Amino acid sequence: MARPDGRAPDQLRPVTITRNWLRHAEGSALIEFGDTRVLCAASVEEGVPRWRRGTGEGWVTAEYAMLPRSTDTRGARESVKGKIGGRTHEISRLVGRSLRAVIDFKAMGENTITLDCDVLQADGGTRTAAITGAYVALVDAMKWLRRQRKLKNNPLTGSVSAISVGIIQGQPRLDLNYLEDSVAQTDMNVVVTGEGAFVEVQGTAESEPFDRAALDRLLDLAVGGCTDLAAMQKKALSG
Amino acid sequence: MARPDGRAPDQLRPVTITRNWLRHAEGSALIEFGDTRVLCAASVEEGVPRWRRGTGEGWVTAEYAMLPRSTDTRGARESVKGKIGGRTHEISRLVGRSLRAVIDFKAMGENTITLDCDVLQADGGTRTAAITGAYVALVDAMKWLRRQRKLKNNPLTGSVSAISVGIIQGQPRLDLNYLEDSVAQTDMNVVVTGEGAFVEVQGTAESEPFDRAALDRLLDLAVGGCTDLAAMQKKALSG
Amino acid sequence: MARPDGRAPDQLRPVTITRNWLRHAEGSALIEFGDTRVLCAASVEEGVPRWRRGTGEGWVTAEYAMLPRSTDTRGARESVKGKIGGRTHEISRLVGRSLRAVIDFKAMGENTITLDCDVLQADGGTRTAAITGAYVALVDAMKWLRRQRKLKNNPLTGSVSAISVGIIQGQPRLDLNYLEDSVAQTDMNVVVTGEGAFVEVQGTAESEPFDRAALDRLLDLAVGGCTDLAAMQKKALSG
Amino acid sequence: MARPDGRAPDQLRPVTITRNWLRHAEGSALIEFGDTRVLCAASVEEGVPRWRRGTGEGWVTAEYAMLPRSTDTRGARESVKGKIGGRTHEISRLVGRSLRAVIDFKAMGENTITLDCDVLQADGGTRTAAITGAYVALVDAMKWLRRQRKLKNNPLTGSVSAISVGIIQGQPRLDLNYLEDSVAQTDMNVVVTGEGAFVEVQGTAESEPFDRAALDRLLDLAVGGCTDLAAMQKKALSG
Amino acid sequence: MARPDGRAPDQLRPVTITRNWLRHAEGSALIEFGDTRVLCAASVEEGVPRWRRGTGEGWVTAEYAMLPRSTDTRGARESVKGKIGGRTHEISRLVGRSLRAVIDFKAMGENTITLDCDVLQADGGTRTAAITGAYVALVDAMKWLRRQRKLKNNPLTGSVSAISVGIIQGQPRLDLNYLEDSVAQTDMNVVVTGEGAFVEVQGTAESEPFDRAALDRLLDLAVGGCTDLAAMQKKALSG
Amino acid sequence: MARPDGRAPDQLRPVTITRNWLRHAEGSALIEFGDTRVLCAASVEEGVPRWRRGTGEGWVTAEYAMLPRSTDTRGARESVKGKIGGRTHEISRLVGRSLRAVIDFKAMGENTITLDCDVLQADGGTRTAAITGAYVALVDAMKWLRRQRKLKNNPLTGSVSAISVGIIQGQPRLDLNYLEDSVAQTDMNVVVTGEGAFVEVQGTAESEPFDRAALDRLLDLAVGGCTDLAAMQKKALSG
């Protein structure tokens, strides 16, 4: 029961993080999990959304999208359809929530950072790559704000990364590619801090309900994967 | 550290399920979790969406929405805004996915059932009430199909219910109302089959990341709550 | 030529008005005309639309909508379609206009009340039930404003209710249900004040033009029906 | 209490009907009620909407719109706003309904005629001018269908025209211009067949409810005005 | 190889400019190039778009649209479709850009003029008729501003007109009608000032690429046509 | 009057074409004109749009878009705004038209190729880079169709590339970057075949009208630039 690309069940795909891929953005990273490629850009804007004005606190939000031909068959553009689909909405919200978990908004002041995560090529795990890459772009945007002397303290209270795990023919596996994802019985996306605590746990029974033992094994795998990703983020940011 | 309504930490709010609240729908239930009231209607339609035609399999989908004044301050109608918000999309998808986990689509034939879950009044836990009530409406819609002699076998492979759990000031609690939900450090929605297996686990760190021990305690609480809900569903359906 | 439910030609269906059906709204009523059930909620908001600012006058507006399965066959949600249909627009405007006919806007000050009329179940006459129920919710919202000491005088200059009338096989009838409505030759909705004056008269020849005598008989019936409805509103509000 | 343009209370504004103003349309008329100018075009299309297919019956529908600078201050285009307003919807529906009242759909066969009524300049009474002019365009479109040998019999069972009436400072007046319309206490649009029967009666209390006597006087005025309009339609069509 | 309407290759269709066709607009013209009829209205509004505020400069913009039955077969309304098509967008932008080329925005002060160009009947060359007619409406709107004493100096630095040219069966022709336009190998729209300089040159190879010699011959034709149009604009404005 | 990046007036920026940048698309290229980066993907689909069915001819279309942070300040997503802007529409149409000029649709059979041109980073000339890169992707998609034995003959009748030219302080320059583009007096985009013939000429006077001599010099520059681009396309495709 070997994996399609020969990996061990607890092995990540090759991960590449190309920091500052974009020239204009205050922070950016092109992140690759195998053939999955997500371009993450952090944009700083003075001010905060209306409902937050006057609180002295900042805001971090995210928008996720897929290029039409990132996938095997071309998908219609959401701009052409005139509306955003449920999946896009759901992932955008997940990415924003995950990053907000490691922010001290008071320390940010009334600034907004928007993380754009655009999937250039998709092969499973786009949302987890997006979260992991967006964190890198976010760190650089925060550094930019400090260089502009707009912040006194570092608003980041930790790091965050994410990985998918799933059960295929009874075997728990780390970092599913598209082929594996489409046949998994159970599929889970886990967002973990650099210190190993959970920010988000989203497990879904795809074909049949799962028990507590399966859940436990998947969480173990995910925490291990995120530990590796945290090290890669650190290395990319130390360059 | 008493709860606002005096409940024990592992106690559900009063739950009421009024079956067949609607005259036209093939199945319906008005479900109440305390002051939260969700009207669930199951609509049967012959045929399936285009991408499923010719497979011989059925389909189950859901749409969740809130009436503008179900909440404390009036929200703008999504029909007037001309688009559906991210939260609505996300919950609609969750309800549909949860119900599909207990369906044998082959046994359904090419029929579609749509579950409309409209929140008439909101006080926390609307998505879990929606799932729990929609299951009741779904059972009646399946019975209707059988009475119409459109099904030979029962497509339902089990029952499903859902509950929210969260940690407030360090204390794990079952079935949060709005007041509790808005101050929870960690918030989790858990969907469980009548046999106690997980269909969906969605945990979110609202203010700070959570550890494995907290996760375990929340899952225990949720499974207990869903056991009670499953009994109430059974009772409502035996009427 | 008996009516499908055995009523006399000039007889209303059983009418029920459940005041304060909602906990959050400043005024609310669940109104039933036979099997037609409309939930009416009044929401008070400080301030008025831009075009009315600085006039010292208030504003009252309404939004009408049907739940997807309020009807015999499920209708697509307008939020999902991304636009509001002509019928919805037309009825929302009618409800707002009808209520504004009994308001002294100067006495309201720059406050806005929005009446949401959501049809939970439809069996003909939903717009007339909406107007009749919305008036009850509006009265309670005005009372709320006075309790908040935001008003000195009562802005209501009278009461308002509405009923449908129509001609079926030559016979004028009061308060048509869906079955009757769909076969009526002429169909009229009449909005009448508590003092018996007309606020709105909308008569439509469905299958063939009508003459002055028919119009007169329908108006007589409608005024009679609204007299009864006004008494029921009064009773509901005196509770 | 003279009228702003010196007319008698029961006098129409000068009416001009320029038949076949357009070269491409199967029927067309530029109609003027004083300074109000509406371009009416009838377009014939083979086939009927999906819900009517296979019935052997035709369909007639209408779309009303205002050019952005038809009015005193420029209005935003509905195409730019991305949605149609309530007033536009309401009038489009009224025009379509009014014309359908004089059609024998069986005689039309499965053909559709769409009446586009575009207001080039507005000075009150645009909806009544639209109905009156659209009838002329419709007659020519029916003739076109007969010349194409697509119809055996004439589907028109009569003629239809419309006029506005209102009460200003207690005086009932025919065919209000914009200035009068904006100060009317009661405003009514009446659609009448060539034989003097009612197709639609829409009366609205603008500032205060009206009684039966006022209603009667307004209906008398309207029937008189439509008698004149019917003669003008006849004359235009005999050219 | 005669032209369908017998014109010489370098001959314009009959051009009519009816100034002040509208009563409400600050400037207006109904312009006809043969059977093409475009109604151009200039609307003055105090203030400028947000991005231009505080610059002391004015703004001129345009919106082009076609009535549904201006063409041979009826086109769906963009307001009903809920979005503006690419062609509409493209022409609106072209008209605005062309007019802005002859404006001194400093002299305009912070005022905005919107040119609405609505095609009542189309027979080729609608965009060039729109530019030519909009200039006339714009001049009158500027005069209106001066009469209102809102301008000290004339912001117009010259005049502007436009014409289409194309190659049909090897022959360069001026001012194509629809029939010619649909078979042209090369199609060009040229916008020229009253002094013969280019404001916009848009040439498109419809069926096969064109060479420099063809381009030169088309430009010669266009400049000749625009010289004639400039004279007609002048005459219309001197009335 | 040196150029900001020290280039000669008739010198292109460094151009890079990375063929097959994407794994799923039937043809793709990442094209760079200096800091401008556009990802071009060709997607083959069986069948053609409805209006072309049964003609035996194929279709080629294009969609252009910019990532939100491709530019100096973040732009709102068109998918979030729910509509496509005029500039996007205009460029999408230009790219499609340019490619269709070198296609023999009969030889394509009823197949559709969609070219997605997504701007990852913008520094002027994005539309010309898009056309130049899209041609490379298109060639590979045609090869893919031939390998699938869906085409007998090569539908490509030539190659096509595009470049911008403009006049800055009186000096004609080739391939403007963003800085130059924003100050140009005249700005022109020219699409040229591999044989040096024109497919599209779009010249715009940005600040003042231009004369024939200026136009001629710009066209000379553009043809020279496109000759170089055609050689680069050839080299990329020979790899």
Side-chain angles (χ1 to χ4, degrees), chain B residues 32-68:
Chain B
E32 297 167 76
F33 280 19
D35 279 337
T36 287
R37 289 182 197 165
V38 184
L39 179 54
C40 305
S43 298
V44 175
E45 206 186 352
E46 228 172 293
V48 285
R50 187 192 308 258
W51 53 268
R52 210 170 173 92
R53 281 182 204 151
T55 61
E57 302 193 0
W59 187 240
V60 169
T61 186
E63 292 186 7
Y64 165 98
M66 299 181 88
L67 288 198

Side-chain angles (χ1 to χ4, degrees), chain E residues 71-180:
Chain E
T71 45
D72 196 48
T73 54
R74 184 178 186 272
R77 279 177 200 270
E78 294 185 327
S79 59
V80 170
K81 289 194 284 187
K83 54 183 171 187
I84 287 180
R87 181 181 172 279
T88 298
H89 256 148
E90 194 171 309
I91 300 180
S92 294
R93 285 159 58 87
L94 171 64
V95 177
R97 226 159 47 221
S98 297
L99 297 172
R100 286 193 293 271
V102 292
I103 307 271
D104 171 1
F105 287 113
K106 277 285 176 211
M108 257 187 93
E110 291 202 6
N111 293 292
T112 296
I113 299 179
T114 302
L115 278 305
D116 285 292
C117 301
D118 287 89
V119 179
L120 305 186
Q121 189 165 275
D123 186 32
T126 61
R127 79 188 72 186
T128 56
I131 292 167
T132 306
Y135 171 74
V136 173
L138 178 62
V139 170
D140 277 328
M142 290 295 185
K143 285 184 184 161
W144 183 91
L145 272 167
R146 295 189 79 177
R147 279 198 308 276
Q148 303 290 312
R149 305 194 181 280
K150 297 194 176 177
L151 300 183
K152 286 187 205 140
N153 303 306
N154 181 6
L156 287 162
T157 62
S159 77
V160 74
S161 68
I163 200 67
S164 76
V165 284
I167 297 178
I168 282 127
Q169 294 182 283
Q171 187 192 56
R173 292 183 185 169
L174 181 71
D175 188 20
L176 311 185
N177 68 15
Y178 180 72
L179 202 65
E180 294 175 309

Side-chain angles (χ1 to χ4, degrees), chain D:
Chain D
M1 206 178 58
R3 298 184 71 169
D5 51 6
R7 278 185 286 152
D10 62 350
Q11 193 183 346
L12 293 172
R13 288 177 285 180
V15 174
T16 311
I17 302 176
T18 309
R19 200 175 156 201
N20 292 323
W21 201 84
L22 292 170
R23 170 183 144 189
H24 302 300
E26 284 76 31
S28 69
L30 178 68
I31 188 164
E32 296 167 78
F33 279 18
D35 278 336
T36 287
R37 288 182 197 163
V38 184
L39 180 54
C40 304
S43 298
V44 175
E45 208 184 351
E46 228 172 292
V48 284
R50 187 193 308 259
W51 52 270
R52 210 170 174 89
R53 282 184 204 149
T55 62
E57 302 194 0
W59 187 240
V60 169
T61 186
E63 291 187 7
Y64 166 99
M66 299 181 89
L67 289 199
R69 196 53 200 280
S70 56
T71 44
D72 195 47
T73 54
R74 184 178 186 272
R77 281 177 198 272
E78 294 185 327
S79 60
V80 169
K81 289 194 284 187
K83 53 184 172 186
I84 287 180
R87 181 181 173 278
T88 299
H89 256 146
E90 195 171 309
I91 300 179
S92 293
R93 286 159 57 88
L94 170 64
V95 177
R97 224 160 48 222
S98 297
L99 297 171
R100 287 194 293 271
V102 293
I103 308 270
D104 170 0
F105 288 113
K106 278 285 177 211
M108 254 187 95
E110 291 202 6
N111 294 291
T112 295
I113 299 180
T114 302
L115 277 305
D116 285 294
C117 301
D118 287 90
V119 179
L120 305 186
Q121 190 165 274
D123 186 33
T126 62
R127 78 188 69 189
T128 56
I131 292 167
T132 306
Y135 170 74
V136 172
L138 178 63
V139 170
D140 278 327
M142 290 294 186
K143 286 185 183 160
W144 183 91
L145 273 167
R146 296 189 79 175
R147 281 197 308 277
Q148 303 291 312
R149 303 194 181 281
K150 296 194 175 176
L151 300 182
K152 285 187 206 138
N153 303 307
N154 181 6
L156 287 162
T157 62
S159 77
V160 73
S161 67
I163 200 67
S164 76
V165 284
I167 297 178
I168 283 126
Q169 293 183 280
Q171 186 192 57
R173 293 184 185 171
L174 181 70
D175 188 21
L176 309 186
N177 67 15
Y178 180 71
L179 202 65
E180 293 176 309
D181 190 52
S182 55
V183 299
Q185 294 149 276
T186 297
D187 178 21
M188 190 173 294
N189 290 290
V190 185
V191 186
V192 179
T193 65
E195 287 158 357
F198 297 109
V199 166
E200 187 99 15
V201 173
Q202 292 199 344
T204 301
E206 293 293 344
S207 59
E208 53 180 307
F210 54 96
D211 63 15
R212 191 70 165 264
L215 178 60
D216 284 339
R217 288 196 300 168
L218 289 173
L219 290 171
D220 289 341
L221 264 186
V223 171
C226 286
T227 305
D228 292 349
L229 289 172
M232 293 176 203
Q233 288 174 321
K234 204 167 180 179
K235 193 175 154 211
L237 285 162
S238 68

Side-chain angles (χ1 to χ4, degrees), chain C residues 69-108:
Chain C
R69 197 54 200 280
S70 57
T71 45
D72 196 47
T73 54
R74 185 178 185 272
R77 279 177 200 270
E78 295 186 325
S79 59
V80 170
K81 289 195 283 187
K83 53 184 172 187
I84 286 180
R87 181 181 173 278
T88 298
H89 257 147
E90 196 172 308
I91 300 180
S92 293
R93 286 159 57 87
L94 170 64
V95 177
R97 225 161 45 223
S98 298
L99 296 171
R100 286 194 293 271
V102 292
I103 307 271
D104 170 0
F105 288 113
K106 279 285 175 209
M108 254 188 95

Side-chain angles (χ1 to χ4, degrees), chain A residues 12-16 31-37 123-125 128-130 132 162-163 175 229:
Chain A
L12 293 172
R13 288 177 285 180
V15 174
T16 312
I31 189 163
E32 296 168 78
F33 279 18
D35 278 337
T36 288
R37 288 182 197 162
D123 186 32
T128 56
T132 307
I163 200 68
D175 187 21
L229 289 172

Side-chain angles (χ1 to χ4, degrees), chain A residues 21-26 30 35 37 39 41-44 63-65 67-72 74 77-80 82-84 114 116-118 120-123, chain F residues 21-26 30 35 37 39 41-44 63-65 67-72 74 77-80 82-84 114 116-118 120-123:
Chain A
W21 201 83
L22 291 171
R23 171 183 142 189
H24 301 301
E26 285 75 32
L30 178 68
D35 278 337
R37 288 182 197 162
L39 180 53
S43 298
V44 175
E63 292 186 6
Y64 166 99
L67 289 198
R69 197 54 201 280
S70 57
T71 44
D72 197 47
R74 184 177 185 273
R77 280 178 199 269
E78 294 185 327
S79 59
V80 170
K83 54 184 171 186
I84 287 180
T114 303
D116 284 292
C117 300
D118 286 90
L120 305 186
Q121 189 164 274
D123 186 32
Chain F
W21 201 84
L22 291 171
R23 170 183 143 189
H24 301 300
E26 284 76 30
L30 178 67
D35 279 337
R37 288 181 197 164
L39 180 53
S43 298
V44 176
E63 291 185 7
Y64 166 98
L67 289 198
R69 197 54 201 280
S70 57
T71 45
D72 196 46
R74 185 177 186 272
R77 282 177 197 270
E78 294 185 327
S79 59
V80 170
K83 54 184 170 185
I84 286 181
T114 302
D116 285 293
C117 301
D118 286 272
L120 306 186
Q121 190 164 275
D123 186 33

Side-chain angles (χ1 to χ4, degrees), chain B residues 63-75:
Chain B
E63 292 186 7
Y64 165 98
M66 299 181 88
L67 288 198
R69 197 54 201 279
S70 57
T71 44
D72 196 46
T73 54
R74 186 178 184 271

